[in-house]
Amino acid sequence: LALISEKVGQKGLSGQLTEPGSPVRGELFHTLPINMSFKGDYLSTGLLLKDLNDMARLTRVQRLEITRDHASDDLNGPLDIEMQINIYFTES
């Protein structure tokens, strides 16, 4: 989780909230769901997704929601990003 939080910070994304779920045990591997929310721009979010894809540990984005505050007139303002990722692992 520290590595993921570090990547979010490196991309200039702010207001990060990371909530790991309970690991789910499978026959061949286990899954750790992580819910994340933060604010930032579209490009930084794309770079974060690329970094998650390039991680040594298998990571999958399960849900991604990008919204803008429609009450604001600032079209260049930060986006609200919420996502759930799953990290897959085996016990060694």
Side-chain angles (χ1 to χ4, degrees):
L1 286 178
L3 179 61
I4 293 171
S5 294
E6 181 180 320
K7 288 185 180 298
V8 170
Q10 289 172 345
K11 300 301 176 220
L13 302 166
S14 64
Q16 174 185 353
L17 177 62
T18 304
E19 297 177 341
S22 298
V24 178
R25 295 186 173 275
E27 187 175 323
L28 300 175
F29 57 87
H30 308 301
T31 305
L32 176 64
I34 301 171
N35 289 312
M36 301 176 64
S37 62
F38 48 88
K39 292 185 179 293
D41 61 38
Y42 189 79
L43 179 59
S44 297
T45 302
L47 292 171
L48 172 65
L49 292 172
K50 181 187 178 314
D51 281 357
L52 291 175
N53 184 61
D54 294 343
M55 288 178 56
R57 189 175 298 266
L58 180 61
T59 305
R60 179 178 181 192
V61 176
Q62 287 296 113
R63 181 181 60 82
L64 175 63
E65 186 175 322
I66 301 174
T67 57
R68 177 180 307 280
D69 182 0
H70 293 292
S72 172
D73 291 333
D74 183 7
L75 296 178
N76 295 319
L79 301 169
D80 294 318
I81 296 103
E82 292 186 21
M83 63 186 204
Q84 179 188 343
I85 62 173
N86 286 343
I87 296 178
Y88 300 94
F89 62 97
T90 59
E91 288 189 35
S92 40

